[in-house]
């Protein structure tokens, strides 16, 4: 029974990874597509490849998800697996709801909310201090940093090219966007595929196949990387329209700066802070930052407000769904 439950949890984890890919495909490529730096198909292929590569570049975020959100050591293996499965279902449900509505919410926070809600329902230890330090504070700071850096860098870029021919300058930035979109996709793989690796490790530890502190096996890395790449390639057109056109109409220079800043924040968070931050929050805030250099009214703040509501609701709503799923599944499977 436990082996079957482990297989089910791993399958749901890879399913979450797939939904994460098509939900967040827009994060890496919306700006490049909207500025016509890349065709949609070429952008999706590039994003899928760099998601795959990025997923294999580190495990720091995966360790945070596996060890620093909830403790499953105080319950039986079977109940621990039910907790992880419930958290995944909560995260997948919220991902699908926001994808259907075209809202770029955070898959990261949906997963963390799902695990937290299932943990609360099961009355296991939830590491609130770690959630505050590695989730809540970065959740608040990453959009602020993304907006501020993008605004400041865009002002500097505008000053540097103030005497350049506009047509030639935009052509160059359109070419540069190929590199910045690739960097963004690499950062997305580095951050988001690792979260699935962490959940799979949590399930394998619960099932007794590994112990806490073991290194993540290669097959887990490859399966998570492949799932998120396939999901990315399947595309996230609804969310792409929101990020690429509804928040602000971007030109190549602003698209390049937004992607470069967002990618830098993702790398710093993964390697320096080991914090699972939201790629969605980061790129959206960077887009708003570069947009505000035109004039504040250039940013469609009503759309930004809708995105903000989705951000705020993600953790509690995913937690609520996960808790309800746990209360349903536990009497049946335990």
């Amino acid at each position: 029974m436990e082996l079957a439950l482990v297989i089910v949890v791993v399958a749901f984890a890879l399913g979450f990874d797939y939904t994460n890919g098509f939900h967040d495909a827009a994060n890496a490529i919306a700006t490049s597509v909207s500025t016509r730096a890349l065709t949609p198909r070429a952008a999706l292929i590039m994003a899928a490849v760099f998601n795959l590569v990025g997923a294999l570049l580190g495990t720091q975020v995966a360790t945070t998800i596996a060890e620093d959100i909830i403790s499953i050591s105080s319950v039986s293996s079977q109940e621990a697996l039910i907790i992880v499965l419930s958290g995944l279902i909560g995260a997948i449900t919220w991902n699908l709801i926001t994808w259907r509505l075209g809202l770029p919410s955070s898959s990261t926070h949906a997963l963390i909310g799902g695990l937290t809600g299932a943990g609360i329902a099961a009355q296991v230890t939830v590491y609130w201090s770690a959630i505050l330090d590695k989730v809540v504070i970065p959740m608040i700071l990453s959009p602020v940093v993304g907006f501020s850096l993008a605004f400041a860098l865009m002002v500097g870029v505008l000053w540097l090219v103030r005497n350049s021919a506009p047509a030639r300058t935009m052509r160059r930035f359109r070419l540069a966007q190929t590199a910045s979109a690739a960097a963004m996709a690499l950062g997305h793989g580095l951050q988001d595929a690792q979260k699935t690796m962490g959940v799979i490790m949590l399930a394998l530890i619960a099932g007794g196949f590994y112990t806490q502190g073991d290194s993540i096996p290669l097959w887990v890395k490859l399966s998570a990387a492949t799932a998120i790449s396939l999901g990315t390639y399947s595309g996230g057109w609804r969310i792409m329209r929101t990020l690429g056109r509804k928040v602000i109409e971007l030109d190549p220079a602003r698209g390049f700066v937004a992607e470069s800043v967002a990618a830098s924040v993702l790398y710093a968070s993964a390697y320096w802070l080991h914090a699972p931050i939201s790629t969605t929050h980061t790129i959206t805030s960077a887009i708003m930052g570069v947009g505000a250099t035109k004039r504040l009214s250039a940013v469609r703040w009503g759309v930004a407000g809708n995105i903000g509501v989705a951000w705020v609701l993600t953790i509690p709503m995913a937690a609520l769904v996960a808790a309800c799923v746990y209360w349903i599944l536990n009497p049946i499977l335990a």
Side-chain angles (χ1 to χ4, degrees):
M1 179 65 178
E2 279 184 16
L3 177 59
L5 206 47
V6 168
I7 293 170
V8 169
V9 171
V10 170
F12 266 89
L14 294 176
F16 167 77
D17 209 19
Y18 182 85
T19 66
N20 190 343
F22 75 68
H23 190 279
D24 289 3
N27 293 351
I29 60 176
T31 54
S32 298
V33 172
S34 70
T35 61
R36 294 178 176 82
L38 292 168
T39 65
R41 188 58 57 197
L44 281 172
I45 292 171
M46 185 197 68
V49 170
F50 279 92
N51 261 303
L52 181 67
V53 174
L56 302 176
L57 292 182
T59 58
Q60 295 91 337
V61 173
T63 302
T64 296
I65 294 292
E67 299 177 5
D68 295 346
I69 304 300
I70 59 173
S71 171
I72 53 175
S73 59
S74 61
V75 295
S76 67
S77 297
Q78 200 149 319
E79 187 171 0
L81 289 166
I82 294 168
I83 292 169
V84 178
L85 178 60
S86 301
L88 283 167
I89 293 173
I92 291 169
T93 301
W94 185 248
N95 263 3
L96 292 175
I97 289 170
T98 50
W99 168 79
R100 186 73 184 86
L101 296 173
L103 289 175
S105 70
S106 169
S107 298
T108 302
H109 297 142
L111 178 59
I112 291 168
L115 290 174
T116 304
I120 293 170
Q123 298 182 331
V124 300
T125 301
V126 177
Y127 297 121
W128 294 110
S129 59
I131 290 173
L132 176 65
D133 292 341
K134 293 190 175 184
V135 179
V136 176
I137 291 175
M139 180 178 76
I140 295 168
L141 287 182
S142 59
V144 173
V145 170
F147 183 96
S148 303
L149 278 180
F151 183 89
L153 185 58
M154 192 67 227
V155 169
V157 167
L158 290 172
W159 185 83
L160 286 173
V161 301
R162 66 192 185 282
N163 296 322
S164 303
R168 183 187 303 169
T169 301
M170 288 305 159
R171 274 199 306 273
R172 289 173 178 170
F173 275 116
R174 193 171 278 117
L175 288 173
Q177 264 201 282
T178 305
S180 63
M184 186 65 203
L186 196 75
H188 181 253
L190 179 66
Q191 275 280 343
D192 284 42
Q194 281 196 53
K195 292 148 196 170
T196 300
M197 294 177 207
V199 174
I200 292 174
M201 277 304 288
L202 202 57
L204 294 172
I205 291 167
F209 294 95
Y210 291 89
T211 57
Q212 197 152 321
D214 284 350
S215 60
I216 296 173
L218 181 61
W219 73 266
V220 172
K221 295 178 184 178
L222 288 174
S223 58
T226 302
I228 201 167
S229 293
L230 290 173
T232 301
Y233 185 69
S234 70
W237 303 108
R238 292 174 186 272
I239 294 170
M240 198 181 297
R241 281 194 294 270
T242 300
L243 277 182
R245 293 189 175 92
K246 289 186 181 177
V247 174
I248 185 170
E249 293 289 342
L250 289 171
D251 55 53
R254 287 179 169 82
F256 169 76
V257 169
E259 289 170 340
S260 300
V261 166
S264 301
V265 173
L266 291 176
Y267 299 152
S269 298
Y271 286 122
W272 179 36
L273 301 175
H274 303 174
I277 68 165
S278 168
T279 53
T280 309
H281 291 194
T282 309
I283 186 62
T284 308
S285 59
I287 288 171
M288 288 190 281
V290 297
T293 60
K294 284 185 176 180
R295 58 188 186 283
L296 285 177
S297 60
V299 178
R300 299 183 179 104
W301 295 105
V303 175
N306 292 337
I307 295 169
V309 170
W311 287 358
V312 171
L313 289 177
T314 292
I315 289 179
M317 290 304 294
L320 179 61
V321 174
C324 293
V325 170
Y326 174 82
W327 288 324
I328 293 167
L329 290 182
N330 192 49
I332 299 170
L333 300 177

